[in-house]
Amino acid sequence: MENWNQYIESLVYHRLEVRIMAKNDGFWNAWPGAVIRNNLLYACANVCVRKDIYLLDVLERFPLKETHPLYKNLTGGFPKGLVLKLGPELMHAYEPRRFIRRGEILSFSLLLIGNHAVYYKYYVEALRQMCARGIGHPMEPFNLVDICERHPVLGIRRIASETTKKVEKLQMPVTFEDFARFKCFPGLTISFQTPVLLHENRLGKVRSSGYQEKLNGFPSYYQFVRSVAFRSLKLAVLYVYPENAAYCREAYECIDHYLERACIPLLQRAALERISLAGTPKEGEKKSILFHGYIGEIDYSDRTSDYRQLMLYMQELGVGNDTIYGLGQYRINSWKNYRNEQI
């Protein structure tokens, strides 16, 4: 178990908390994660990092060489070095339209993973441009209230605001070891805060009779832990050790052994709902992109701490499809906490 953890202990991220305030009334006609993501990426396309290279180019650049063992597996679509997390006032905005009132403050987080964090100043500039350009229908400008760096242990510090052009240096990387100390309770509740989709049969493909297909995407404990583990490893491969092919091979040799005990916990209770959310249409099209996934809670009879540290750490980075749209957010809680018992 410890031998596998060493492969992701170098995976770090910086969490930027962003607050913006509406200058006028308006509305967003899609899932807020899609609205923020698409407007931010538009701004990224206009922020120059170096000659003829823009921030969007950096975000979309695939960092592995053709000789890398994961090149074929990831080149068609790879986890980005940026994760979007919605604030509580946006997280559950499932209605087709989200009305924005003048003076309303909206919050979200940007998590910059591994070596991608060196571009943090350019993301601050992109956020400024996004607010100045405007968001919604009609396009209404926002004030950038502030941007803070948050750490689960060290707290929070402001690095930028509307009143100053200066951007403070990032100082608080979040590490795997920051989640090493926690209490282990007899049971586990996983709360899916935004839609989580771990597996989906792609359109045009014949449905198989495999384990995941039989579950119809329902996230079993093993499937959930497996998805979390592989996502953490892929992020480390892409944004910590992109040049180290030997690291990748060694880690993948260990992961099946690491996941063996994930088959033990039993399902105790499930209160899940599969929902669909409308995103923004692709350029030149009228039909909206649809996002699917489960929200709600699952209880498992997990009496060990085998995977708790990994799950705690990765709950910030999300799991499943479309995390860059603010999906895949989850929280783990004790079974006792769910029943409001005194701990």
Side-chain angles (χ1 to χ4, degrees), residues 53-95:
I53 302 294
Y54 293 85
L55 184 55
L56 183 59
D57 299 325
V58 175
L59 181 64
E60 297 290 344
R61 182 180 61 203
F62 187 55
L64 304 182
K65 297 180 180 179
E66 291 186 14
T67 55
H68 194 281
L70 281 186
Y71 180 85
K72 291 183 179 179
N73 179 268
L74 295 178
T75 188
F78 63 98
K80 301 300 186 287
L82 171 72
V83 170
L84 171 66
K85 291 179 65 69
L86 299 179
E89 72 282 356
L90 294 174
M91 188 181 299
H92 303 296
Y94 298 142
E95 65 273 12

Side-chain angles (χ1 to χ4, degrees), residues 209-337:
S209 58
Y211 176 71
Q212 291 181 326
E213 291 288 359
K214 289 179 179 178
L215 288 173
N216 191 30
F218 186 90
S220 69
Y221 185 84
Y222 172 83
Q223 184 185 7
F224 180 77
V225 174
R226 183 181 185 277
S227 296
V228 169
F230 272 97
R231 175 165 168 77
S232 66
L233 186 52
K234 289 175 182 178
L235 291 175
V237 167
L238 292 166
Y239 303 108
V240 182
Y241 303 111
E243 305 292 331
N244 191 342
Y247 157 85
C248 177
R249 294 190 185 95
E250 292 175 5
Y252 268 76
E253 288 176 359
C254 295
I255 198 166
D256 285 338
H257 175 67
Y258 170 70
L259 293 171
E260 286 179 353
R261 292 179 59 82
C263 297
I264 298 175
L266 300 176
L267 175 67
Q268 301 293 310
R269 180 188 70 96
L272 294 177
E273 177 184 2
R274 184 180 170 94
I275 67 171
S276 297
L277 300 174
T280 55
K282 292 183 178 179
E283 187 174 354
E285 298 183 5
K286 294 184 178 181
K287 188 176 181 180
S288 296
I289 300 173
L290 290 180
F291 303 106
H292 308 280
Y294 289 99
I295 59 172
E297 292 184 335
I298 311 181
D299 289 342
Y300 290 103
S301 61
D302 181 16
R303 296 179 177 273
T304 73
S305 59
D306 290 344
Y307 307 103
R308 297 292 180 92
Q309 184 178 352
L310 174 68
M311 294 166 69
L312 282 168
Y313 181 59
M314 288 300 294
Q315 70 183 359
E316 297 302 315
L317 297 176
V319 66
N321 297 352
D322 302 316
T323 56
I324 198 173
Y325 288 92
L327 304 179
Q329 297 182 34
Y330 71 92
R331 281 285 181 270
I332 65 169
N333 312 286
S334 77
W335 201 57
K336 286 185 176 180
N337 272 338

Side-chain angles (χ1 to χ4, degrees), residues 152-164:
V153 178
L154 302 177
I156 190 169
R157 56 183 288 270
R158 181 179 295 178
I159 65 167
S161 68
E162 181 185 23
T163 58
T164 177

